[in-house]
Amino acid sequence: MDDGGARRTADAPGDGRLEKLAPGMPIVYGGDRIARVSPELAAAFQPGDRLIVVQETGALLRVPAAEQVLAQAAVGRALCAFHALAAVSDDAISAFFEAFAANLESDAAWAEIAAANAADVARAKGRGRSATRLETTAAMRGDMAAGLRAWGRAEAGRNRVIERIDHDGWSVEQAAAPLGVVGFVFEGRPNVFADAAGVIRSGNTVAFRIGSDALATAQAIVRAALAPALAATGLPEGAAVLLESAEHAAGWAMFSDPRLALAVARGSGPAVAQLGAIARQAGTPVSLHGTGGAWLVAAADADPDRLYAAVFHSLDRKVCNTLNVCCVAREAAPALVPAVLAAVQQAGERRKGAKLHAVGDAFDLLPAAWRDARVPVVRAEGVREEPRVERLAEADLGREWEWEETPELTLALVNDAAHAAALFNRYSPRFAASLVSADPAAHERFYAAVDAPFVGDGFTRWVDGQYALNRPELGLSNWQGGRLFARGGVLSGDGVFTVRARARQSDLHLDRAGVPTPPRSTGS
């Protein structure tokens, strides 16, 4: 049983292996709480399996022996490659990114990838799952190649001097250095390959698992583009290792491996939170990109045209930074809500219809043409007819609308921007917020009040590493679990490093107590 990070010596009392579980068996977690083994878990558990006890929640997770072996081997290969990468030149690393991009642009390679992706998409749709972000497109292909070339052109981060302090007779340099193996678990989005590979730029290696829906696509990218690029440029083959398993247990096993230097997870909120808990209890720092959904607040003095544009341009597609909740100042609602509705209407025409959820008195303010209508809504399982507007409780303001082709968002009326900030801090995942107001002082108050790593004054879709910072992102982090220590909400490949200190001494007589160097004795 994995006890959440405790290590015992081989001769410790009670040392042994967990060979079986019994229904109802008590398992201690969190120091003073008890979880009990279910009959299903007891029946499935076999000798050689591992039991991971999530100390934060008491979840009991079975890792089959085969998945454990697979994960350990993947991290081991990446760790060996990390040490080998130290001898590889920065020019060779730059050449790898160019070769990877060129392979993606090869029609022969892309035909293999596209065929695998078509099969993945068909399987996903057959299971009633969303394929919106799974399907490879010409635009995705171009963006992946562009992202890789951006890493190839980026400044090499290894041994970059961050700071130099000069003293009398000596100096100290603080320099960036590679961190180690990055464990990466992400959703079924093939384009994330370019993001994950970015850690190689700064001398790190990566072991990653992709969502099961995209596994065949990922395997084809490795065969046709990634592996040939590593081989052609002299990089170790384990510099980027795909965990070839469709089982969630493989990701659990990888994140419980203490050899990881950093664990990065992207995907659905509960799954990401669980992966983060597993990594933390193994002693590994984490970067989590789970629940998203941006908020936009219209103050009483908001310009309706600016509000209209901000809403419209925040609903072009569903990703984490898509507008999810729009709060409008109650006193100006008769003038501002029509601008919101017009933008939502236009966003629906750009996509395939639109759906609204209204909190409290926001519902009563809507025209009958909205309140009484029924519209087709595209869901993962197909097109369904639903009310155009549904009532929503205030307690559900934190719900993220995972729409497919039909833009979907929540509308709420607030007393003022301070009220909206309080609701954001209470209910949202504390991710991204924008304020539309003509008052500079109001923006400063909002910035100080809202607990979010990303704050703007217009459309919400700017929150993106590539778009905003010209760097492909490994992940975007919210502040749902607290503010981040010494870094921003965008984790990029060149942000994965440690810092080493190096002293250079010119005065050989340095002594902390000021004692001079005594004469060297020549006698015995």
Side-chain angles (χ1 to χ4, degrees), residues 13 40 44 205 220 248 303 353 375 385 391 479 519:
E40 295 77 14
T205 59
H248 290 294
D303 175 11
V375 294
E385 185 180 280
R391 290 184 182 273
W479 282 358

Side-chain angles (χ1 to χ4, degrees), residues 133 187 189 266-273 288-295 314-315 317-326 355-357 359 379 392-404 406-411 424 427-432 460-461 463 476-478 480:
R133 305 185 201 181
E187 69 278 33
R189 292 174 60 186
R266 293 169 52 160
S268 67
V272 166
L288 306 179
H289 179 168
T291 305
W295 285 44
S314 298
L315 293 171
R317 61 189 289 246
K318 175 54 194 163
V319 286
C320 66
N321 55 28
T322 300
L323 175 59
N324 197 68
V325 176
C326 183
K355 183 177 175 72
L356 200 63
H357 300 266
V359 175
R379 300 293 185 192
L392 188 74
E394 180 185 292
D396 292 326
L397 275 171
R399 181 172 178 181
E400 181 182 7
W401 304 110
E402 293 283 2
W403 51 270
E404 295 292 319
T406 304
E408 189 168 7
L409 72 157
T410 296
L411 175 67
F424 177 92
Y427 295 115
S428 84
R430 303 189 179 194
F431 178 53
T460 64
R461 289 272 285 113
V463 181
L476 297 171
S477 296
N478 61 36
Q480 194 167 20

